[in-house]
Amino acid sequence: MKQSVIQLRAAPPFSIGAALLVWGWQCQFLPYAILMAVLLEISYFLSWRWSITDKEFNTLSDFSGLMFFVVVTYIFIDEGARGIFVILSVLPFILYPLLATQKYSTEGTMKLSALLVSLRKLDPTHSQEASIRTDVSLPYFIACLLSASSGNNRTIEFFIAVSLLLALVLWFVRPKRYSASIWLISIAMSLSLAYGMQLGMRHLQARIESSFLGIFDQFMWRYRDPNRATTAIGSLGRLKLSDRIVLRVKSEKKLKTPILLREASYSNFGHGVWSSQQSDFSVIDQNTDTSWTLVGDVESANNLNISTYMVNEKGVVPLPLGTSTIKDVTAIEIQKNPLGTVLMDIREGWVQYTVEYENDIYDDIPPNDNDLFILDYYKKYFQRLADELQLASMSTEQAIDTVYRFFQDNFTYSLAQKQRYPKGKYLSNFLFKNRQGHCEYFATATALLLRSVGIPTRYAVGYSVDEYSALEGQYIVRSRHAHSWTLVYVDEQWVVMDTTPSIWAPYEQENASAIEPLMDLWSWITYTWSRWQSDDATEEEENTFMILWLLFPLIGILAWRIYFRERIQKRGKQILELQQLNCPGKDSRFYELVNILEKSCRPRQAGETLPLWIERIENRVQGDHLQPALDMHYQYRFDPAGISSSKQKEFHELVEKLLASKEEWLAAVD
Amino acid sequence: MIRRLLFKNLKFVYKITQWNKHRFTPAGLLIVGAMIASGIFGVDVRQSMAFQIFAITASLLLISTFGVLSFRGQFKITRLLPQFGTANQLMRYQIQIENLGNLNQSDLLLIDELETILPDYQEFSGSYDPQDKNRNRFDRTVGYPRLLALIRSKRGATIQPVNIGSIARSENIKLDVELLPLRRGYIHFLQSSIIRSDPLGLVRALKKYRLANKLLVLPKTYRAPKIELKGLRKYQHGGMSLASSVGDSQEFMSLRDYRPGDPLRAIHWRSYAKMGSPVVKEFHDEFFVRQGLILDTFQEYKSTTVFEEAISIAASFCLSLPGQDALLDLIFIGDKPHRFTSGRGLGQVESMLEPLACAQPCREDAFSKLCDMIPEYNAETSGMICILLDWDDKRKGLIESICLAGIPVVVFVVVDPGGSMDLEPGPLTSHPERLIPLPCDRIQSALDDVNRFSLAEE
């Protein structure tokens, strides 16, 4: 039944060396690649080989797997999801020991079970998979090409190199029934097609990106465009934002939550999109190396320490309303637009800054015509509603209060939009029919309703800080905490008006994922690591990280201890069972005598041997048979040579006699 | 519900895998793998240059696919099979190929295919693979290796592809094909495919020829001892011919008048026509040794090892018994009660091996059928050899009834590896040597240790 099947043939001579050189050239590992290629290809000129057993191949494969796991973990912690290309670039290093060993082994191939642990225990006589042998050189060749692609050197040389290498390999496996010219024509056609295809792929991606950038911006990751915010008004189905932590907020004082952190404000609305026409940014003057003042001559009583993840080196940062100063951050440049949106030029990844703010102070420019503008299309609906609420006859404060109560009393919070309406009808449906929606509906409707009676408004987007993490000792803000609200201009100041029912935060919490705590822990670990690596890490953060990393070996030791104890217990149990099995003389009837004596005379003390105990009680029992019986019992029980059948008979008779006459010799007992 | 969905997915994966194996050469599969991997890494063309590898590999496969669209060869294929094969024994058969086309052909591959009936969910969920205990939890839970094992077992054998080499126009060649039967019973051939790959050597063109044949695979056998039980020679009504319940009598003695109770088939119709009243044929009454071989097929648990070994042991005794002057009855319950007789020119041993090769375990509790069947043959049976799968009360009851009928009996109990060899004799207390445990992993040595002389003692 045992058959040895070789699944893959070996790569042609020098093809792997060439692939390694291409990889080294593309990924800046050329010196290593040359060394690795020479070591491999020199094997064709050497006659000696090592005899490597299947078990050794298994060990080596496990080692490569472990190395891969360690590298993946390290790179993911260090680089996040972007690390996938770093992992790809080091793949030839990780797999090299396996290939080199195979190359220098006498067999020249390895069992498939070396690569797949699940096959190792299978019986080769009954399972064909267990006896399959394979050659890893061709997969390694492909891995080298893929790794080389991660170098991302956008030149034509990569295409040429990969084409030549693949053609080289295919030349060696080509069917012999065809002439070389047919093969060459086929290859030439394939590579011409490939060249056109890769050009087409570049163009296709550019087209797709330009069409769907808005969608990606909103749902894939928080990247705020200061000029434009596409709302989900009119989106069918359930709006679901992720539980991912996007901000961390620390305050020395206990916060009166929820606190709103604004990212941007907009003034023009049309067909689900808020935009801003006053988005010219001006550079903020730097006070010191790490401090910028947004609003001068203000004494700010409140401090917040905010950590945010920058997708690009430059991006919008969330700030509490009334921020006067940004400090403790080594930014290259900070800019601000007239609507209060702040752009920070710093670096990618987690950045931390402290803000001083005073809620009463707003530095946004006063309203203009844009802040009163409503598209004609919406005007009739909002005018109608304003008439119903008689807002025109009220003072500004009364109108604001009426609108606030109108939304609070008559509307409910919902993330689902189940019915499709004609374009632009969603807001009228929200106002007059189903009266339910999410924050974007409330903020947009409030802004436009107040505008319809001549009160200037703006639409603000950002986050609501509400959730405190005991694990991190600070507030955390998730993607689902993204929020929008209205800014209303009253008494020459912009004030916040949030008409979204306050139920929204607990409502969103209900939809949290079951694995949220685990994801939070992972997020905290990666955050701590990233902060530890950062130049502006505080001493406290560095200590936290060290404690965190000390935990891993401790957990490992604990796990090992538990496992080892389990093994000791199992082994101990086995020994006990073994002892019970191999205990000649355990059935000795002398033990019956011992039981009787223990009940009648003084019982044995803990650790007291039978001879000592017998000696202690012998003077209290009649007769002198106990000692000889004990000697014979010991021989029967412990003598490795055993006891002769005649002596065994004698011993049994003696014990029987003692048991039969126990009343007599026990009579002497006190 | 989820398990059913998973099962459907597993079947889908299996079909895709098989399709890939047929349609792509090993180099082609590697290129497909490279295309998938580079497609994953190259989704964003700005992040890496993997999209160029994707473009190259996809183009190679596309051009190769065009290269196999026309395969103009014409062939005539004939499969030349032997009469029998033996389970787990590599065997060879021949395939005759005639090139009927106008072109000389070279570098072709022949794949002979067996019929593959994919199992349904009930069959899959009730299947058992002994190798499962050596697999990890994931494989055991998902069950894909189990599905593969079940499909392999249903297919019954593996056949290695054969390189045809070159075959000139109108040439007729014979190729040796290696077949490894994985189980006993019939295996069904479905078709033969002649395969040609494209100029790049990545994709295959197939020419399929439907050739339905079947091959009987006999169970493997052991070297069994010749057991001669000291039973009495028994009266066989109707002589040796009727002993097997088939065929005409060769021991015809005379004619006599019909008596009520005589079987209809004994009526001599020509004499009836002449005489005007029924006349029956009279046969020599014979006395000879007739041994029964009882095979227990009742198995409640899923492991098939014990059952398969029992079949092999039964087949081994069929080959070693009977002697020149004795008959052997093989008795077992399959889909219905079976009794086959061989010896003294009545039937060939092969006629017994075929039902044995096709015997399946009875899962339902119908052991009483066997208990009811055996006493019917007590009167004509000299001795019994029982091959049992267990030694429980039901089986002890059967053996006790045979002993009470005064028939000497030897009982072989097939024991699972690791099972207890210390069997309590029960109804065989007076002859404990006649209860013989056979451990699955040491059947041959246990059979070699059987002392047939002590069994023959009264």
Side-chain angles (χ1 to χ4, degrees), chain A residues 85 118 121-123 145 149 152 154 158-159 163 175-178 183 187 190 194 198 202 205 209, chain B residues 43-47 49-53 59 63 105-108 131 134 136 139 196-200:
Chain A
F85 291 104
S118 58
K121 286 185 182 173
L122 295 187
D123 181 1
L145 297 188
S149 75
N152 206 15
R154 310 189 76 78
F158 177 77
F159 181 84
S163 302
K176 301 293 180 283
R177 63 181 279 141
Y178 302 101
W183 183 86
I187 278 283
S190 302
Q198 58 94 17
R202 288 185 197 216
Q205 175 151 340
E209 279 181 356
Chain B
V43 162
D44 185 349
V45 301
R46 290 201 179 87
Q47 294 284 333
M49 299 294 278
F51 73 99
Q52 289 195 338
I53 302 177
S59 303
I63 295 294
Q105 300 281 355
S106 64
D107 215 3
L108 299 175
Q131 288 283 306
N134 297 326
N136 58 38
D139 283 347
R196 189 210 75 186
S197 58
D198 75 294
L200 295 174

Side-chain angles (χ1 to χ4, degrees), chain A residues 1 3 5 7-8 26 82 84-85 88 117-118 121-124 126-129 138-139 142 145-146 148-156 158-159 162-163 166 170 173-178 182-183 186-187 189-191 193-195 197-199 201-202 205-206 209, chain B residues 26-27 30-31 33-34 37-38 41-64 67 71 88 90 104-108 131-136 139 145 148 152 158 160 178 180-182 196-202:
Chain A
M1 170 96 192
Q3 283 179 311
V5 183
Q7 216 176 33
L8 268 178
Q26 292 288 308
R82 283 160 179 264
I84 192 159
F85 291 104
L88 191 61
V117 181
S118 58
K121 286 185 182 173
L122 295 187
D123 181 1
H126 289 102
S127 179
Q128 209 177 8
E129 305 102 293
L138 273 178
I142 297 290
L145 297 188
L146 280 172
S149 75
S150 66
N152 206 15
N153 294 326
R154 310 189 76 78
T155 55
I156 191 67
F158 177 77
F159 181 84
V162 172
S163 302
L166 280 173
L170 292 181
V173 297
R174 76 186 195 286
K176 301 293 180 283
R177 63 181 279 141
Y178 302 101
I182 291 178
W183 183 86
S186 301
I187 278 283
M189 283 168 66
S190 302
L191 296 180
L193 182 66
Y195 187 75
M197 193 185 277
Q198 58 94 17
L199 284 180
M201 286 169 77
R202 288 185 197 216
Q205 175 151 340
E209 279 181 356
Chain B
L30 195 75
I31 295 293
S38 58
F41 289 113
V43 162
D44 185 349
V45 301
R46 290 201 179 87
Q47 294 284 333
S48 74
M49 299 294 278
F51 73 99
Q52 289 195 338
I53 302 177
F54 175 81
I56 296 169
T57 47
S59 303
L60 286 170
L61 290 170
L62 201 63
I63 295 294
S64 293
F71 181 13
N88 296 323
L90 190 68
N104 296 340
Q105 300 281 355
S106 64
D107 215 3
L108 299 175
Q131 288 283 306
D132 251 1
K133 62 178 181 291
N134 297 326
R135 294 199 172 99
N136 58 38
D139 283 347
L148 293 183
R152 268 200 299 270
T158 58
Q160 292 301 317
E178 282 190 352
L180 180 70
L182 301 173
R196 189 210 75 186
S197 58
D198 75 294
L200 295 174
L202 302 178

Side-chain angles (χ1 to χ4, degrees), chain A residues 19 31 97 112 165 181 198 233 245 254 363 391 407 460 493 500 516 539 573 606:
Chain A
L112 192 62
L165 283 174
S181 56
Q198 58 94 17
I233 292 173
I245 297 171
K254 187 169 167 55
D363 193 36
L391 297 179
F407 282 112
Q493 278 196 340
T500 307
E516 190 185 275
E539 197 178 332
K573 202 174 162 189

